[in-house]
Amino acid sequence: NFSAKNKVPFNGLAKLFVGDLLEDEGVNSDFLNTKISSYGFNFQFKYFPGAGALHGFYLTPYFGFQNGKMDDFTFDFPDSNDPSIEHEGRVGAKFNYFGAGIGLGNQFVFGNGFTMDILWVGLGWGMNKLTINGTDPSGDVNYEEIHNDVQQFRQDNAVAIEDLYAKVNSSYTSNSIDIIVKHPFPYVKLLNFSLGFAF
């Protein structure tokens, strides 16, 4: 599958759970409206408990992953010598999601071999890794200060982060900073239709 220039998946749900937390720390939660592009793959196996395979009701365990990239947006970085000075830099983000679940569906095989598949519902779980990278061309940014702010945010909000079963960390060099967030996320399928051919 491929997705081009859509909002962050479930961005309304993300704002509900972490929007206030971000705003309290001075992070504009509107970045969750930033458009993303993504691609992914899904694998599934079908078990037909009825009389014949490929026809009728089935159970399906499924596995999948999704990689995505968020459009860059601007961010004001603190100067390495004078905190009253800010430099406009760029922030980009990418995510990697792996998940699995089990679903219920029906497959219909017609006389000419064509098939119609309806996956009614699938429920599963997975893990998402979000990497946010910040850079600035000026070369005068105090990335250590941002790193320390992230660590302080993690300590101040340890209970809220733990309630979301998330992990937050950061690392930096003299040229950039990476903020890494890992968190579980549901892998839900609902009314997936597909057409095929049975050999």
Side-chain angles (χ1 to χ4, degrees):
N1 63 74
F2 175 77
S3 173
K5 303 299 181 182
N6 290 320
K7 289 183 180 180
V8 175
F10 300 102
N11 65 321
L13 193 61
K15 279 191 173 184
L16 177 65
F17 281 101
V18 300
D20 290 342
L21 187 62
L22 294 173
E23 295 282 354
D24 289 345
E25 295 297 325
V27 179
N28 190 341
S29 62
D30 283 344
F31 87 90
L32 293 172
N33 293 325
T34 304
K35 299 294 181 71
I36 66 168
S37 300
S38 68
Y39 68 91
F41 295 90
N42 180 79
F43 306 92
Q44 66 183 53
F45 304 89
K46 298 176 182 176
Y47 169 67
F48 294 83
L54 301 183
H55 186 71
F57 172 78
Y58 64 81
L59 299 171
T60 174
Y62 57 85
F63 311 86
F65 67 91
Q66 193 83 9
N67 290 339
K69 182 180 183 302
M70 184 181 292
D71 286 351
D72 289 354
F73 54 92
T74 60
F75 186 83
D76 292 329
F77 291 94
D79 186 81
S80 56
N81 298 309
D82 186 349
S84 66
I85 300 174
E86 293 182 331
H87 303 278
E88 185 177 278
R90 303 292 296 176
V91 174
K94 61 182 180 179
F95 69 89
N96 298 285
Y97 178 81
F98 294 86
I102 188 164
L104 306 173
N106 283 87
Q107 182 165 279
F108 305 93
V109 182
F110 302 101
N112 55 9
F114 283 99
T115 66
M116 182 176 70
D117 184 294
I118 305 174
L119 177 62
W120 299 108
V121 64
L123 299 176
W125 205 248
M127 181 62 67
N128 187 48
K129 178 183 177 183
L130 173 67
T131 303
I132 302 170
N133 174 260
T135 59
D136 177 82
S138 71
D140 295 321
V141 171
N142 188 346
Y143 291 110
E144 182 178 8
E145 179 182 333
I146 302 171
H147 168 76
N148 292 336
D149 288 343
V150 173
Q151 299 306 310
Q152 189 63 50
F153 170 84
R154 188 175 69 169
Q155 293 178 18
D156 294 343
N157 299 280
V159 175
I161 293 172
E162 185 176 325
D163 288 344
L164 296 170
Y165 303 100
K167 294 182 179 179
V168 179
N169 215 331
S170 61
S171 61
Y172 68 96
T173 66
S174 58
N175 300 313
S176 66
I177 183 166
D178 284 333
I179 301 172
I180 300 171
V181 181
K182 296 180 180 179
H183 63 92
F185 207 78
Y187 190 5
V188 178
K189 293 176 174 287
L190 184 64
L191 292 179
N192 286 5
F193 292 86
S194 62
L195 299 175
F197 188 82
F199 295 93

